[in-house]
Amino acid sequence: MNAPSLELIASCITGYDPNALPVAQAQEFIARLVPKVEAVEQLPIRSALGRVLARDVISAIDVPSHDNAAMDGYALRGMDLETEGPTLLPVAGAGLAGQPVVSAVPPAFCVRIMTGAVIPDGLDTVVPQEFTSLLPDGRVSIPAGIARTGDNRRLRGEDLARGEAALHSGRVLRPADLGLLASLGLAEVPVYRRLRVAFFSTGDELRSVGEPLDEGCVYDSNRYTLWGMLSRLGVELIDMGVVRDEPDALREAFSRAAEAADAVITSGGVSVGEADHTKRIMAELGEVLFWRVAMRPGRPLAIGRIGRAERSAILFGLPGNPVAVMVTFYAFVRNALLAMAGAAVEPLPVLQAVSASALRKKPGRTEYQRGTLRPGADGRWQVEITGSQGSGILRSMSQANGLVVLHHGQGNVAAGDLVDVLPFDGLV
Ligand SMILES: Nc1nc2c(c(=O)[nH]1)N[C@H]1C(S)=C(S)[C@@H](COP(=O)(O)OP(=O)(O)OC[C@H]3O[C@@H](n4cnc5c(N)ncnc54)[C@H](O)[C@@H]3O)O[C@H]1N2
Ligand code: MOO
Ligand SMILES: [Mg+2]
C-alpha cells in the first residue's frame, strides 16, 4: 500500500488547524488516511454473517424460476373471465408447489393451484379459493368483477433476474442477505479477511477486574467498553491488557500491537500530563498528528500510523476519560474501521427530538450529551439528558440510549427546541 504522509493528507484539508480541528475535518482526515484490507477468503454463507462482501454477487438464475401462484385457488386465462355474471370453468387438473400440472390446459378450463406452484403455460391469473365456489357438476364458479388478468401471479425473475446484481461489494452481510444468497443457490461467498484490531489501556492507576483496588487506583473500564463496541463491528480483537505509564513498556506494547494488527486503539496518556507518554512514544515509533479536536468530550486525540511502512498499523490514541473513549469511538473510530474492513460505510440514522430541558452550549465545538429518547405524546421524539455529563461519568452513558449532538456552530438550546440525536442502536 502506498501511504501518503500525514502532513500531505493534512495539507489537503481546508483551513487545517491542529489545535482546534472541527469534527467534520477530523473525520475527513481519517477517511483519507485509512487503507482497506485486500485479502479475500471464500466462506460458507452462514459463516459470512456480519462479514464484508468482497465482490458483487450477480444472479446466475431467475428468482423465482417460473411464474407461480401467490394464493391457493384456481389458475385460469384472464381472457376467459366473463364481464357480466359468473365465470364457470371446468377443472383440468391440480398443481402443487414442487408438483406442476403436467398436461396442457385446454381453452376455457382452469386448474386447481396452490401457493408457489408453477402456473401452467397459457394461464395468467389466479383466483383465491375463498372467492370461488365449486358446483356439483365439478365446475368452478367465479363471481363477476372479483378477478382481473394477472392477479396473484408472481412473475419469473421478479425478485432477481438472471444477470442482475443481488448484492454489491462492501455489503456487511445481514440475515436477509444470507437468505438472498441461498435463494440464488450459492453455498459460499467471497468476503474480506477480518480486520485485526489490537487495543490496550494505559495508566499506572489502572487495576483489572479481579485484582484488589489499591489506594488511589481505579478499575480499567475502557477495555470493556472498547471490547463491546469493537465486538459489534465484527473485527478480530487482540486485547493487550493494561500497560503502565512507562516508556519501555509502552514502546514494547506499541511495537507488538503494530506487528499483530491493522489498527491499534489505546486509551489514556494523550494529554499534557507528566505521565502522558503515549503520544511521544507513538511519534517515536511512527507518525502522529496530535489534534485537539473541537469537541467535548474527547478533545485530545492522537491519530496516525505506527510501525514499518509495509507493516504499519493505523493508530487511534483515544483520551483516557471513559466517556471520551466511547464518544471518540462513535465519532471517528467506528467508520474508520468499517472502511478499513472494506465496508461501504452508511451514514448513521439521526433523529430529531424535542429537548426536555435547556442545554448550555458554546459555539465553536461539537458537544455530545448523553440522553434518553422517548416517543412524546405529540408523536415527536423527546430527549432528556441523563444526569452529570462529566467525561469520567460512565453511569450517565450507561443510562442513555442516544447521544445528543450539538453541532459546531450551534449555541444554547432552549427547552422545547429540536436537537439531533444519534440513537445507540444504529451506532455499533
Ligand atoms: N492541562 C490539561 N489537562 C487536561 C486536558 C487539557 O487539554 N489540558 N485535557 C483533559 C481532557 S479533555 C481529557 S479527555 C483528559 C485526557 O487525558 P489522557 O488521555 O492523558 O488520559 P489519562 O490522563 O491517562 O486519564 C484521564 C482520566 O481517565 C481515567 N482513565 C484512564 N484510562 C482509564 C481506563 N482504562 N479505565 C477507567 N478510567 C481510565 C484516568 O484515571 C484519569 O482520571 O485529559 C484532561 N486533562
Ligand atoms: O475530552 Mo475530555 O473527555 O473533554 O474530558
Ligand atoms: Mg493525562
Side-chain angles (χ1 to χ4, degrees):
M1 261 170 284
N2 237 344
S5 83
L6 299 189
E7 266 63 31
L8 184 70
I9 298 171
S11 68
C12 299
I13 295 173
T14 43
Y16 171 69
D17 174 0
N19 282 317
L21 200 64
V23 168
Q25 279 192 331
Q27 287 166 334
E28 189 189 334
F29 180 95
I30 294 170
R32 287 171 190 247
L33 173 73
V34 295
K36 188 170 112 172
V37 293
E38 283 162 3
V40 172
E41 57 186 326
Q42 193 77 7
L43 284 186
I45 56 176
R46 283 187 185 169
S47 311
L49 181 64
R51 299 289 297 270
V52 183
L53 194 62
R55 307 278 180 263
D56 290 351
V57 173
I58 308 296
S59 180
I61 57 171
D62 285 320
V63 182
S65 57
H66 294 87
D67 292 0
N68 67 89
M71 292 285 202
D72 301 315
Y74 296 90
L76 47 85
R77 294 177 179 83
M79 59 189 262
D80 289 337
L81 289 166
E82 303 287 349
T83 46
E84 314 256 313
T87 303
L88 304 173
L89 298 174
V91 183
L96 280 74
Q99 293 175 39
V101 177
V102 279
S103 49
V105 181
F109 272 72
C110 67
V111 291
R112 179 95 174 100
I113 202 154
M114 305 305 148
T115 305
V118 172
I119 296 178
D121 283 346
L123 309 195
D124 52 20
T125 304
V126 174
V127 183
Q129 67 192 45
E130 50 274 38
F131 298 149
T132 67
S133 46
L134 196 56
L135 304 181
D137 65 5
R139 287 183 303 167
V140 176
S141 171
I142 302 153
I146 60 119
R148 272 180 326 199
T149 302
D151 278 357
N152 303 307
R153 175 178 55 160
R154 301 193 290 211
L155 293 175
R156 170 184 184 140
E158 75 173 17
D159 187 349
L160 275 166
R162 180 206 293 247
E164 223 180 321
L167 292 168
H168 291 284
S169 170
R171 173 83 175 179
V172 179
L173 294 169
R174 303 172 184 168
D177 303 331
L178 301 193
L180 194 62
L181 292 167
S183 76
L184 301 179
L186 294 174
E188 294 186 339
V189 277
V191 294
Y192 288 113
R193 75 154 168 83
R194 287 214 295 173
L195 195 71
R196 289 187 279 265
V197 181
F199 62 107
F200 56 89
S201 298
T202 69
D204 284 344
E205 78 284 24
L206 302 180
R207 293 292 175 269
S208 293
V209 293
E211 288 176 1
L213 192 63
D214 300 323
E215 184 72 20
C217 291
V218 294
Y219 283 119
D220 169 18
S221 58
N222 290 343
R223 265 187 321 124
Y224 292 85
T225 45
L226 274 174
W227 184 90
M229 295 186 292
L230 289 167
S231 296
R232 294 218 183 152
L233 287 186
V235 299
E236 194 179 312
L237 299 177
I238 306 167
D239 181 350
M240 296 183 54
V242 173
V243 178
R244 302 284 162 231
D245 289 321
E246 288 160 16
D248 281 344
L250 286 165
R251 248 178 231 118
E252 200 264 335
F254 274 117
S255 305
R256 237 172 359 105
E259 281 293 318
D262 304 297
V264 180
I265 304 176
T266 65
S267 70
V270 291
S271 187
V272 292
E274 284 177 16
D276 292 339
H277 307 296
T278 317
K279 207 174 71 233
R280 186 167 50 78
I281 306 293
M282 289 172 176
E284 200 183 294
L285 300 175
E287 250 190 311
V288 172
L289 261 200
F290 173 59
W291 292 326
R292 290 183 185 281
V293 180
M295 68 188 288
R296 187 163 138 165
R299 200 160 85 106
L301 189 63
I303 303 286
R305 266 192 297 257
I306 197 152
R308 298 189 310 274
E310 73 280 9
R311 186 73 207 87
S312 71
I314 298 295
L315 188 72
F316 300 94
L318 308 185
N321 274 322
V323 179
V325 166
M326 295 194 74
V327 168
T328 50
F329 186 93
Y330 291 146
F332 307 112
V333 183
R334 173 194 180 271
N335 282 2
L337 295 183
L338 284 174
M340 289 182 79
V345 180
E346 293 170 16
L348 290 167
V350 175
L351 291 182
Q352 289 238 298
V354 178
S355 180
S357 59
L359 306 172
R360 286 168 63 89
K361 161 70 171 60
K362 266 205 254 171
R365 67 183 184 204
T366 305
E367 286 191 20
Y368 298 85
Q369 300 210 3
R370 296 138 243 176
T372 308
L373 269 172
R374 287 193 198 89
D378 61 0
R380 297 186 299 172
W381 288 100
Q382 308 279 325
V383 65
E384 197 168 346
I385 298 307
T386 54
S388 169
Q389 297 290 309
S391 68
I393 311 276
L394 257 184
R395 186 161 64 119
S396 54
M397 190 69 175
S398 158
Q399 287 169 338
N401 63 5
L403 283 177
V404 176
V405 185
L406 302 172
H407 296 285
H408 194 84
Q410 210 170 340
N412 289 338
V413 171
D417 282 358
L418 282 176
V419 288
D420 279 351
V421 184
L422 277 175
F424 283 151
D425 265 0
L427 283 178
V428 277

